[in-house]
Amino acid sequence: MKASGRKVWIGVALVAVTLLLLPFALSLAGTAWVRIANLALLYVLLALGLNIVVGFAGLLDLGYIAFYAVGAYAYALLASPHFGLHLPIWVILPIGAATAALFGVLLGAPTLKLRGDYLAIVTLGFGEIVRVFLNNLSQPVNITRGPQGIAGIDPVRIGGVDFSRSDSLLGVVLSGPMKYYYLLLALLLAIVLVNVRLQNSRIGRAWEAIREDEVAARSMGIDTTAIKLLAFALGASFGGVAGGMFAAIQGFISPESFVLVESVMVVSMVVLGGMGNIAGVILGAVLLAFVPELLRWTVEPAQRALFGRMLVEPEVIRMLIFGLALVLVMLFRPAGLLPSAVRKRELTGHD
């Protein structure tokens, strides 16, 4: 036991050191890769939030990107010249999370009796409704500036430290993207801790019971209405936090950042990694965030080296490989790359 425990702690220490040094290694290839790492962390936050709804509670949600949009616009409206408000991040993020949770309840309440494909269609429509509203709330009162989007969004400022500028700490230069990386990493660790505690709690077991058999769960005395609404609200709140950080990092948002393809991408991350397994969801999000960028940087030079010109656009190849990967995973690893134990037993038929 002592030897195995020591190995676990050594593994944790190696992962921690890797995560701490990762932005410095990526910066050697260019600041763009640090920004890509930040985007990957945002996707991990989104995937963990969606995993509560899809993985834990078994409720298929194709409109999850709407909560991401709500959090982003909450930050943009409260920290930009648009309304002249410049509130600090520690005020805005809870407001964005609470607003997204409210929208989650508004989505969940009318869909309590829906399951499977019907629930997916309703949530898909909800995501599109939110995007269309954001695109048209510029008249008669200009709230969201419509398709023009909101610019000049304040960066994160904590204790006089501006995260959009480079600073020196103990002789080490930290660029703006590097500081955002460590802030996102801290948020990710907090959300992972919350997910782990939820999964092993009475609420997590109630979600699992609903996912396996809602009728049986109700007969055992579980308040399925409250538990399902709680899943929608908590999952949406994590999406709201991720949206707020996205707005702060980008400095500009528009409805075009929250299209249906983004929802499909986040669902794919959860399915690819392994629904219901926190480590698997993180793996799926990192793979689908980084691999397309690697293809973007390698496909064009490879074609020019082989054929002297570019025959197929990198985006086309990216989507082809993306679709092929999902088909292969569903054929050979239907439970995901790192499935949860329960999900694996369901699909293999083992006791």
Side-chain angles (χ1 to χ4, degrees):
M1 291 296 293
K2 291 183 178 179
S4 61
R6 192 180 304 114
K7 290 180 180 179
V8 170
W9 282 108
I10 291 175
V12 171
L14 289 175
V15 171
V17 171
T18 301
L19 291 175
L20 290 174
L21 298 180
L22 182 61
F24 294 98
L26 292 175
S27 65
L28 297 177
T31 306
W33 284 102
V34 184
R35 298 183 186 276
I36 293 171
N38 292 343
L39 183 63
L41 289 176
L42 286 174
Y43 275 124
V44 172
L45 294 178
L46 286 172
L48 287 173
L50 183 60
N51 186 52
I52 291 179
V53 182
V54 177
F56 292 172
L59 306 170
L60 184 56
D61 185 354
L62 292 182
Y64 187 73
I65 206 67
F67 309 124
Y68 189 46
V70 169
Y73 269 87
Y75 189 99
L77 295 175
L78 296 175
S80 72
H82 182 49
F83 286 150
L85 299 175
H86 300 278
L87 300 181
I89 185 173
W90 55 268
V91 173
I92 301 175
L93 281 188
I95 292 176
T99 306
L102 175 62
F103 273 78
V105 173
L106 292 176
L107 169 63
T111 62
L112 290 174
K113 295 183 180 181
L114 300 177
R115 301 177 189 174
D117 299 339
Y118 301 101
L119 178 61
I121 292 171
V122 171
T123 55
L124 186 153
F126 174 80
E128 286 300 290
I129 287 171
V130 170
R131 185 183 64 82
V132 171
F133 261 97
L134 294 175
N135 210 29
N136 290 275
L137 283 179
S138 57
Q139 293 177 349
V141 179
N142 187 8
I143 299 177
T144 64
R145 288 178 54 85
Q148 293 181 344
I150 300 176
I153 301 173
D154 297 342
V156 174
R157 296 187 180 93
I158 299 177
V161 178
D162 190 333
F163 278 63
S164 64
R165 300 177 181 177
S166 298
D167 283 312
S168 179
L169 179 63
L170 300 177
V172 178
V173 177
L174 295 175
S175 64
M178 285 184 179
K179 289 188 287 186
Y180 275 122
Y181 170 86
Y182 289 116
L183 178 59
L184 289 170
L185 186 61
L187 283 174
L188 173 60
L189 292 176
I191 288 179
V192 167
L193 178 61
V194 172
N195 271 261
V196 171
R197 298 292 293 175
L198 283 172
Q199 187 175 23
N200 298 324
S201 67
R202 293 179 61 186
I203 295 174
R205 291 194 292 272
W207 283 333
E208 184 176 328
I210 292 174
R211 183 188 68 200
E212 300 304 317
D213 192 328
E214 186 174 344
V215 176
R218 188 183 297 113
S219 67
M220 293 296 292
I222 295 175
D223 187 350
T224 57
T225 298
I227 291 297
K228 288 167 73 173
L229 287 178
L230 183 61
F232 275 111
L234 284 175
S237 66
F238 292 159
V241 172
M245 292 306 303
F246 172 76
I249 294 173
Q250 293 293 107
F252 169 80
I253 59 170
S254 70
E256 295 304 314
S257 300
F258 312 105
V259 294
L260 175 62
V261 175
E262 294 294 322
S263 277
V264 174
M265 182 68 73
V266 179
V267 173
S268 301
M269 291 172 179
V270 176
V271 174
L272 175 66
M275 290 188 295
N277 186 12
I278 296 172
V281 169
I282 294 174
L283 175 63
V286 171
L287 286 177
L288 289 186
F290 265 106
V291 172
E293 298 301 328
L294 290 173
L295 291 173
R296 194 191 309 275
W297 285 78
T298 57
V299 166
E300 182 177 350
Q303 290 187 76
R304 293 192 183 280
L306 291 174
F307 309 110
R309 60 191 180 92
M310 188 168 63
L311 300 177
V312 184
E313 292 291 332
E315 184 67 18
V316 175
I317 295 180
R318 181 178 77 89
M319 294 308 295
L320 286 173
I321 295 176
F322 173 67
L324 178 62
L326 288 180
V327 171
L328 292 176
V329 167
M330 291 302 100
L331 287 175
F332 300 106
R333 300 282 294 184
L337 298 176
L338 291 177
S340 66
V342 175
R343 180 75 172 166
K344 190 175 182 179
R345 286 199 301 269
E346 289 175 356
L347 293 175
T348 57
H350 294 161
D351 292 333

